[in-house]
Amino acid sequence: MIIGVPKEIKTREYRIGMTPAGVRQLVAQGHTVLVETRAGEGSGLRDEAFTQAGATIAQSASEVWHRADMVMKVKEPLPAEFEYFRPGLVIYTYLHLAAEPVLTRKLIEKKVRAVAYETIQLPDGSLPLLRPMSEVAGRMAVQAGATSLEKWRGGKGVLLGGVPGTRRGRVAILGGGVVGRNAAKIAIGMGAQVTVLDVKSETMDYLEDIFGGAIETLYSNPANL
């Protein structure tokens, strides 16, 4: 199979759909991997790293899409990429089709076989490919929130960890799942006063077990919110 890895074109998306390690594994299994030139630069991966792993460097996105039997991406295809859709093409990426009706209709119209990473489940119902994205989201949320609290950015001028003699910043996290748990981990590490609200008692029990007295848990209801 010819597997294509185009450069992501979504604004501020710097990741790439496959690392050189993934290329090496697929090539060893007899596949051909086409990687668009400079596709990995946003992740600190140069073309040479992919060629050393056995990939062929394509000079354009068009070449990747037209030659590949299967395309592996990070984010959903954008309108500029719809022209490459064709019957029988396989696309692996995060699709989030519930929020993308135009993309959904276009995939159906062109008879593309699209597999959304976020829907792949293990036998226990867990979502192994969505989990790392959720971990990143939770950790980034606190980092972004702390930055937004800076006075010059229009915030309250609150330092989450405080300093001796001042109050610590307060962080409220809605939901104690993968995103919330990782947000709590970073907020606690920054020294904030952390409250996690959830509707499941077992989730709150688990959070108190792993974080101990470092967090407060509350039932998520209108009064507590």
Side-chain angles (χ1 to χ4, degrees):
M1 178 177 280
I2 300 176
I3 300 166
V5 185
K7 184 176 182 179
E8 298 295 322
I9 62 173
K10 190 166 187 175
T11 302
R12 291 191 291 184
E13 179 53 73
Y14 305 108
R15 294 171 293 181
I16 183 171
M18 190 183 302
T19 64
V23 169
R24 189 179 301 279
Q25 187 170 348
L26 288 170
V27 170
Q29 294 173 354
H31 302 294
T32 296
V33 180
L34 296 176
V35 178
E36 183 181 352
T37 185
R38 304 179 66 182
E41 286 188 352
S43 295
L45 299 170
R46 300 175 65 86
D47 287 353
E48 290 79 3
F50 290 99
T51 56
Q52 288 171 6
T56 299
I57 300 300
Q59 296 305 308
S60 68
S62 177
E63 181 182 354
V64 172
W65 283 92
H66 283 117
R67 289 184 58 190
D69 303 304
M70 179 172 76
V71 169
M72 297 185 67
K73 294 177 83 290
V74 177
K75 297 300 292 181
E76 71 279 358
L78 298 182
E81 296 169 310
F82 292 175
E83 65 177 285
Y84 302 127
F85 292 176
R86 65 183 187 275
L89 175 67
V90 180
I91 297 178
Y92 276 89
T93 190
Y94 289 98
L95 285 168
H96 303 291
L97 292 180
E100 296 287 348
V102 175
L103 171 60
T104 305
R105 286 193 292 269
K106 188 61 68 173
L107 290 169
I108 294 171
E109 174 190 327
K110 295 294 185 178
K111 296 181 172 59
V112 174
R113 292 181 286 177
V115 180
Y117 289 143
E118 71 273 12
T119 65
I120 295 174
Q121 294 186 3
L122 294 178
D124 63 2
S126 62
L127 303 166
L129 301 184
L130 187 59
R131 185 184 184 91
M133 298 299 101
S134 299
E135 291 173 345
V136 170
R139 295 177 184 226
M140 285 293 295
V142 178
Q143 181 176 317
T147 301
S148 297
L149 281 171
E150 295 174 9
K151 196 76 172 180
W152 73 277
R153 294 179 183 274
K156 295 180 179 180
V158 173
L159 183 66
L160 286 186
V163 293
T166 68
R167 294 184 184 277
R168 294 179 293 158
R170 293 173 295 174
V171 175
I173 298 171
L174 309 185
V178 176
V179 175
R181 187 166 64 251
N182 279 273
K185 186 179 299 184
I186 299 303
I188 291 168
M190 295 177 75
Q193 178 183 331
V194 180
T195 301
V196 180
L197 299 99
D198 203 281
V199 296
K200 297 179 180 178
S201 59
E202 57 268 29
T203 297
M204 292 184 283
D205 288 343
Y206 175 71
L207 293 175
E208 294 210 0
D209 281 344
I210 61 174
F211 293 125
I215 67 167
E216 174 186 44
T217 58
L218 285 175
Y219 276 101
S220 183
N221 57 42
N224 286 334
L225 288 172

Coordinates of all heavy atoms in Angstrom, one line a residue, residues 22 29 31 70 85 89 111 128 151 156 160 193:
G22 N 7.3 5.6 12.9 CA 6.1 4.9 12.2 C 6.4 4.6 10.8 O 6.0 3.6 10.2
Q29 N 7.3 -3.4 6.7 CA 6.2 -4.4 6.4 C 5.9 -4.3 4.9 O 4.9 -4.9 4.5 CB 5.0 -4.0 7.2 CG 5.2 -4.2 8.7 CD 4.1 -3.7 9.6 OE1 3.2 -3.1 9.1 NE2 4.1 -4.0 10.9
H31 N 5.3 -1.6 2.8 CA 4.6 -0.4 2.3 C 5.5 0.7 1.8 O 6.6 0.8 2.2 CB 3.6 0.1 3.4 CG 2.7 -0.9 3.9 ND1 1.7 -1.5 3.1 CD2 2.6 -1.5 5.1 CE1 1.0 -2.3 3.9 NE2 1.5 -2.4 5.1
M70 N -3.8 5.4 1.0 CA -4.3 5.8 2.3 C -3.6 7.1 2.8 O -2.3 7.1 2.6 CB -4.1 4.7 3.3 CG -4.6 5.0 4.8 SD -4.5 3.6 5.8 CE -2.8 3.4 6.2
F85 N -10.4 14.3 -2.7 CA -11.2 13.1 -2.3 C -11.6 12.3 -3.5 O -11.9 12.9 -4.6 CB -12.5 13.6 -1.6 CG -12.3 14.2 -0.2 CD1 -13.4 14.7 0.5 CD2 -11.0 14.2 0.4 CE1 -13.2 15.2 1.8 CE2 -10.9 14.7 1.6 CZ -11.9 15.3 2.3
L89 N -10.5 6.1 -1.5 CA -9.4 6.6 -0.7 C -9.7 6.4 0.8 O -10.8 6.5 1.2 CB -9.3 8.1 -1.0 CG -8.3 8.9 -0.1 CD1 -6.9 8.5 -0.4 CD2 -8.5 10.4 -0.3
K111 N -17.4 9.1 -1.6 CA -17.2 7.7 -1.2 C -15.8 7.4 -0.6 O -15.2 6.4 -0.9 CB -17.5 6.8 -2.4 CG -19.0 6.8 -2.9 CD -19.2 5.9 -4.0 CE -20.7 5.8 -4.4 NZ -21.3 7.1 -4.8
P128 N -8.3 4.9 23.2 CA -6.9 5.0 23.3 C -6.2 6.2 22.5 O -5.2 6.7 22.9 CB -6.3 3.7 22.9 CG -7.4 3.2 21.9 CD -8.7 3.6 22.5
K151 N -2.1 40.6 34.3 CA -2.8 41.9 34.2 C -2.7 42.5 32.9 O -3.7 43.0 32.3 CB -2.1 42.8 35.3 CG -3.0 44.1 35.6 CD -4.1 43.7 36.5 CE -4.9 44.9 37.0 NZ -6.0 44.6 37.9
K156 N -6.8 39.4 36.1 CA -6.9 39.9 37.5 C -5.5 40.2 38.1 O -5.5 40.7 39.2 CB -7.7 39.0 38.4 CG -9.2 38.8 38.0 CD -9.9 37.9 39.0 CE -11.3 37.7 38.7 NZ -12.0 36.8 39.6
L160 N -1.2 32.0 40.2 CA -1.9 30.8 40.7 C -1.2 30.3 42.0 O -1.9 29.9 42.9 CB -1.9 29.7 39.6 CG -2.9 29.9 38.4 CD1 -2.9 28.7 37.5 CD2 -4.3 30.2 39.0
Q193 N -5.1 26.6 44.5 CA -6.2 26.0 45.3 C -7.2 25.4 44.3 O -7.8 26.1 43.5 CB -6.9 27.1 46.2 CG -8.0 26.5 47.0 CD -8.7 27.6 47.8 OE1 -8.1 28.6 48.2 NE2 -10.0 27.5 48.0

